[in-house]
Amino acid sequence: MKIFHTIKELRETLQPLRTQTIALVPTMGNLHNGHLDLVKKARANADIVVVSIFINPTQFGVGEDFDTYPRTLDADVEKLTSVNADYVFAPSVEEMYPILPTNVQVLSGDISKILCAKTRPTHFDGVGLVVSKLFNIVQPNIAIFGKKDYQQLAIIRQLVAELNFPIEIIGAEIVRADDGLALSSRNQYLTETERKHAPLLQKTLQNLANELKTANFADFDNIIAKTIDNLNSTNIDNVRFKVDYLEVFNQNLQPPKADDKGLVILTACYLGDKTRLLDNLEFTRN
Ligand code: PAF
């Protein structure tokens, strides 16, 4: 496996290989089994697998964890070797952004202003920008993103359609620990006690989905409000949950209508002082 730090070297290497199928797995490093699952999907669907590792400053807001986000390139490279990735693209901030702040933005739609964007208003602008740059640099045939970042995946699908990128986007299912917690680089911010109780979030989503499957659409708001209250008033071993949002949409992230069958519950929830967990659950109404 080869590692590139410059756009020029990566492009020169990929140029003669363009008759083959190239897959891109964009990451910010600090890889866990969820990322490795994306790489395995890429491996199964393409001849050449490129993994980018870039902690993208433009998607972090002021006071967020950009400076402290774990930087673990050597361990990441070892893990990527074990799943047979071909190339790692690990550019510096200067390589990716010769001009900061940038003069270009790519997103503007409603979908990048809801859910996570309410507390992270510039986050998806940064994601849209860096993903567009990576698509332009790598020019993959396919790109793989995890469904844990459901809103991100929906936004990238729109971006690809509206900017005419000839790239197939594959959404990979959430990878969970044995107790149900969705794998995330930020789980390592949890204390031992918080980690023990974190799976309550997924259990809550499962119970809510079971209730909504058969509930009257008119009762949705009350049922969801009750679930949020229950989570917010949970206090086990001094571990507290604080819901940032917990909402139901249809699977295209449009507000649900009474006759929609395929729905998704999306949540971001603080656990303790430091950690904001994301999770979601797709379900079908009876
Ligand atoms: O999901 C992530 O890790 C990041 O948002 C992405 C897609 C790599 C863009 O920086």
Side-chain angles (χ1 to χ4, degrees):
M1 196 179 64
K2 279 197 182 151
I3 306 168
F4 298 105
H5 299 287
T6 67
I7 296 168
K8 186 169 179 288
E9 280 173 311
L10 178 70
R11 278 198 169 143
E12 280 171 5
T13 301
L14 292 179
Q15 195 49 43
L17 304 174
R18 295 213 172 274
T19 49
Q20 302 179 64
T21 308
I22 299 177
L24 171 66
V25 182
T27 80
M28 298 205 302
N30 198 229
L31 303 179
H32 51 65
N33 284 341
H35 295 110
L36 300 186
D37 190 63
L38 303 182
V39 178
K40 287 179 197 162
K41 283 229 155 43
R43 189 71 283 165
N45 284 280
D47 304 311
I48 312 276
V49 176
V50 181
V51 180
S52 62
I53 297 183
F54 179 63
I55 303 172
N56 172 36
T58 66
Q59 70 188 74
F60 290 79
V62 177
E64 291 186 356
D65 55 348
F66 174 70
D67 288 334
T68 54
Y69 199 88
R71 286 152 169 87
T72 54
L73 187 61
D74 291 347
D76 292 342
V77 166
E78 219 168 279
K79 289 177 189 165
L80 290 173
T81 308
S82 77
V83 285
N84 268 330
D86 296 300
Y87 302 116
V88 174
F89 178 50
S92 65
V93 171
E94 295 70 31
E95 179 74 4
M96 281 300 272
Y97 292 109
I99 299 169
L100 266 180
T102 58
N103 294 303
V104 175
Q105 288 294 352
V106 292
L107 297 180
S108 69
D110 289 346
I111 199 175
S112 57
K113 302 198 171 73
I114 57 174
L115 297 167
C116 275
K118 286 192 196 152
T119 44
R120 307 186 73 193
T122 56
H123 172 66
F124 291 115
D125 293 340
V127 171
L129 190 58
V130 81
V131 169
S132 303
K133 284 164 88 68
L134 290 168
F135 284 173
N136 195 23
I137 292 164
V138 178
Q139 301 185 10
N141 305 92
I142 60 179
I144 326 271
F145 293 86
K147 280 196 188 177
K148 188 176 78 64
D149 297 304
Y150 202 93
Q151 185 177 10
Q152 168 172 285
L153 175 61
I155 287 171
I156 287 164
R157 286 193 194 284
Q158 278 192 347
L159 182 143
V160 162
E162 294 190 22
L163 289 181
N164 308 94
F165 280 113
I167 300 173
E168 182 194 346
I169 301 299
I170 298 182
E173 295 305 322
I174 298 178
V175 179
R176 297 182 181 278
D178 289 344
D179 60 7
L181 179 66
L183 297 192
S184 162
S185 298
R186 290 190 169 103
N187 290 351
Q188 63 195 267
Y189 299 158
L190 295 168
T191 65
E192 206 177 308
T193 327
E194 287 165 355
R195 174 63 191 83
K196 185 170 145 208
H197 297 301
L200 178 68
L201 191 61
Q202 197 231 357
K203 287 195 192 92
T204 303
L205 299 195
Q206 276 172 348
N207 293 341
L208 178 59
N210 287 339
E211 202 171 344
L212 294 180
K213 272 180 194 167
T214 52
N216 277 330
F217 185 68
D219 295 331
F220 268 36
D221 285 351
N222 280 340
I223 296 171
I224 294 165
K226 197 182 71 195
T227 303
I228 294 174
D229 280 351
N230 284 344
L231 266 176
N232 282 337
S233 54
T234 300
N235 183 352
I236 349 168
D237 294 342
N238 276 333
V239 170
R240 287 183 168 278
F241 290 77
K242 186 169 172 297
V243 175
D244 181 2
Y245 63 76
L246 191 155
E247 297 186 46
V248 176
F249 281 84
N250 75 19
Q251 292 179 5
N252 296 320
L253 281 196
Q254 299 302 313
K257 294 194 286 306
D259 57 354
D260 278 336
K261 290 280 181 217
L263 299 178
V264 55
I265 308 167
L266 302 110
T267 189
C269 186
Y270 289 94
L271 187 46
D273 298 331
K274 281 202 303 225
T275 319
R276 184 171 171 275
L277 301 176
L278 284 188
D279 206 343
N280 63 72
L281 186 63
E282 291 176 319
F283 67 98
T284 308
R285 292 189 75 204
N286 295 340

